[in-house]
Amino acid sequence: MEISLFAGLAGLFILLAVLVFTLLARRRQAKRRPPAGKTADKALEPEPGETDRLLHSYFKGLSYVLSNDTDRAVAEFIKVAQVNSATSEIYLALGQLFRKTGEIERAIRIHRNLLLRSSLPANIRLQTIFEIGLDYKQAGLIDRARQTFEELLDEAPTFVEALTELGSIYELCREWDKAIEVQKKLAALGDHESEHVLAHLTTEMAKEYELAGDWQRALKLYRRAIEIDPGCIDAWLHLGDLQLQQGQTTEAVAAWERGFAINPDLASLTVSRLAALPADQARASQEKFFQTNLQAYGGNVNFIAAYINFLIDEGKYAEAAGRIKEMLVRRPDCAALFQLTGRLVHVAAGHPECRDLLPLFFSRFQPVDKPYQCGNCGCYLEEVVWKCPKCAHWDTVAPR
Ligand SMILES: [Zn+2]
């Protein structure tokens, strides 16, 4: 069972436990009290014999949870929730559970019915509208989700979760100016990550202007992104790319190197740019880059992988083979080893240093499916992305 689903069921289970045991306690109290005391708790009290059925459903539901039978667990829990019409939280939890099991229509129906209640407390009402927005989003009805969150925020402008959801929808629709506005509101509400995200969004907006040919505006925005967060690698790399297009090679190389200094694990992003310079500049700039950084970053497997590629380009096969062998011993799970060994064997098969490379490679290499991983949620990815598609955190993806 998926962890989030399990958490949903566990939450529901606790809510129902509170309800069932409250009802039981009230029944016991009512038995001891004279008949006049009964009336006050009438709304929460089930008919005689109903509490037993309730308990039966509750434990039946629990046993279904334990045996991973979500559908039957939900069916039993509904029976418990229906006994008392005032239990809004239980309906909210049920709606969430339906959404998590993919039954969006039922989730929306539950949430809409809840909204029809005249006595619904204001906070539950807002939470229910928020849940409907999430239902629409999961159903892929992005426009309706967006409208729901916008209307909710008109009413409750400091609803942080709604702001976060609306921001992610604006990002999805590539409406960067609106996404930036949302991020600013989150910053004002004390979201510590917001500057970091704001820099990324500003970089994304700059890329759009660059694509449209408005280089001046793009340049300004890349610089603004760096001002907001000097650690925004993407802004540095793209600033360099634009500077190169404007013929400012020295400035471009300096910007790419800033990107490398921020996260040496992503060395390949800088080196691939240096390697794409015109042939004479490519060689000199890479040589200088590796000479400058080899001592400080020689222990970084991703930096060394980039260096080995350079050594192969340079025809320094013996040193390349030696470095690959070291990596096979130190980090046999490094995804780059497959490409590096293949490349070296292809160009230098007859070289004496390569003779024992393949047997060592086959005995040591531990291949990985996907070479990148999110440091926050642990999901594996094919390529570097700035925002993890699973947990939506920025700058958490690195080579494995
Ligand atoms: Zn993640």
Side-chain angles (χ1 to χ4, degrees):
M1 194 187 297
E2 225 182 287
I3 293 171
S4 58
L5 183 56
F6 185 78
L9 273 175
L12 186 57
F13 161 63
I14 292 165
L15 275 171
L16 289 168
V18 172
L19 173 72
V20 167
F21 290 104
T22 308
L23 290 174
L24 274 177
R26 283 172 190 224
R27 190 175 69 154
R28 270 199 299 274
Q29 273 176 10
K31 271 184 183 168
R32 283 189 227 116
R33 274 197 305 244
K38 257 185 171 178
T39 48
D41 293 324
K42 198 132 190 150
L44 254 173
E45 195 164 335
E47 294 296 312
E50 197 160 25
T51 314
D52 293 334
R53 282 202 297 280
L54 212 61
L55 260 184
H56 179 69
S57 279
Y58 171 70
F59 284 110
K60 219 165 142 190
L62 177 60
S63 75
Y64 286 136
V65 171
L66 296 174
S67 57
N68 280 358
D69 192 342
T70 319
D71 286 349
R72 285 183 175 166
V74 168
E76 290 302 324
F77 286 158
I78 285 177
K79 286 183 195 165
V80 185
Q82 276 168 348
V83 170
N84 190 283
S85 60
T87 52
S88 320
E89 285 93 346
I90 290 176
Y91 276 92
L92 275 180
L94 261 179
Q96 285 169 355
L97 202 57
F98 279 133
R99 188 170 63 237
K100 279 172 186 160
T101 50
E103 292 195 63
I104 314 286
E105 270 183 39
R106 285 174 92 178
I108 293 176
R109 217 178 310 135
I110 282 189
H111 290 138
R112 281 204 180 136
N113 283 339
L114 201 53
L115 276 185
L116 293 177
R117 291 187 187 175
S118 54
S119 60
L120 205 61
N123 62 330
I124 300 282
R125 204 183 133 265
L126 294 176
Q127 183 66 32
T128 309
I129 299 174
F130 175 69
E131 297 292 334
I132 291 176
L134 291 180
D135 295 338
Y136 284 142
K137 190 180 170 195
Q138 181 152 340
L141 302 167
I142 299 300
D143 279 348
R144 294 181 83 169
R146 170 194 176 129
Q147 197 186 341
T148 306
F149 292 130
E150 281 172 347
E151 284 169 7
L152 173 58
L153 285 160
D154 283 344
E155 209 176 319
T158 57
F159 198 132
V160 171
E161 290 86 356
L163 276 171
T164 308
E165 288 298 333
L166 185 60
S168 77
I169 288 178
Y170 287 148
E171 284 173 32
L172 200 70
C173 301
R174 308 183 72 79
E175 292 185 33
W176 305 115
D177 45 350
K178 285 189 176 171
I180 286 171
E181 281 313 307
V182 167
Q183 211 55 46
K184 284 180 180 165
K185 285 180 189 163
L186 281 169
L189 291 169
D191 179 352
H192 66 281
E193 272 226 65
S194 54
E195 280 185 0
H196 184 59
V197 179
L198 205 54
H200 270 294
L201 298 177
T202 308
T203 306
E204 294 300 333
M205 194 153 82
K207 289 180 196 173
E208 301 262 304
Y209 280 113
E210 187 180 338
L211 264 178
D214 190 345
W215 287 6
Q216 284 314 313
R217 193 125 187 213
L219 203 63
K220 239 177 163 171
L221 286 170
Y222 286 134
R223 291 195 193 283
R224 193 188 299 164
I226 290 167
E227 252 173 54
I228 297 169
D229 176 17
C232 186
I233 304 178
D234 200 27
W236 281 109
L237 294 176
H238 279 85
L239 172 68
D241 295 349
L242 190 53
Q243 286 170 326
L244 181 71
Q245 289 200 61
Q246 295 182 317
Q248 301 169 324
T249 311
T250 314
E251 289 84 350
V253 170
W256 296 332
E257 286 181 348
R258 283 293 293 268
F260 165 76
I262 293 165
N263 186 356
D265 277 338
L266 301 176
S268 62
L269 296 180
T270 291
V271 176
S272 61
R273 285 169 161 87
L274 297 176
L277 287 170
D280 53 327
Q281 292 170 347
R283 200 190 160 275
S285 64
Q286 283 183 92
E287 191 164 30
K288 190 168 162 239
F289 173 78
F290 287 115
Q291 268 175 7
T292 313
N293 295 302
L294 198 54
Q295 190 152 13
Y297 299 104
N300 183 308
V301 77
N302 301 299
F303 174 82
I304 289 298
Y307 182 50
I308 294 171
N309 259 321
F310 175 66
L311 290 173
I312 298 173
D313 287 342
E314 291 286 286
K316 295 178 178 169
Y317 302 141
E319 193 183 345
R323 297 250 179 207
I324 291 177
K325 286 175 196 170
E326 269 172 39
M327 265 171 80
L328 279 166
V329 173
R330 198 155 57 91
R331 277 288 307 276
D333 61 335
C334 173
L337 276 168
F338 183 80
Q339 177 264 335
L340 292 171
T341 308
R343 194 169 165 228
L344 182 60
V345 169
H346 180 70
V347 296
H351 199 278
E353 284 288 335
C354 292
R355 263 176 229 144
D356 55 346
L357 181 60
L358 275 183
L360 185 69
F361 175 79
F362 286 119
S363 67
R364 298 280 313 172
F365 183 53
Q366 293 165 4
V368 284
D369 272 355
K370 292 177 181 169
Y372 296 93
Q373 186 174 19
C374 170
N376 183 57
C377 69
C379 80
Y380 298 117
L381 295 156
E382 291 286 1
E383 57 179 1
V384 179
V385 286
W386 302 110
K387 183 178 183 178
C388 171
K390 192 164 179 216
C391 70
H393 276 71
W394 291 86
D395 290 324
T396 52
V397 174
R400 289 169 72 181

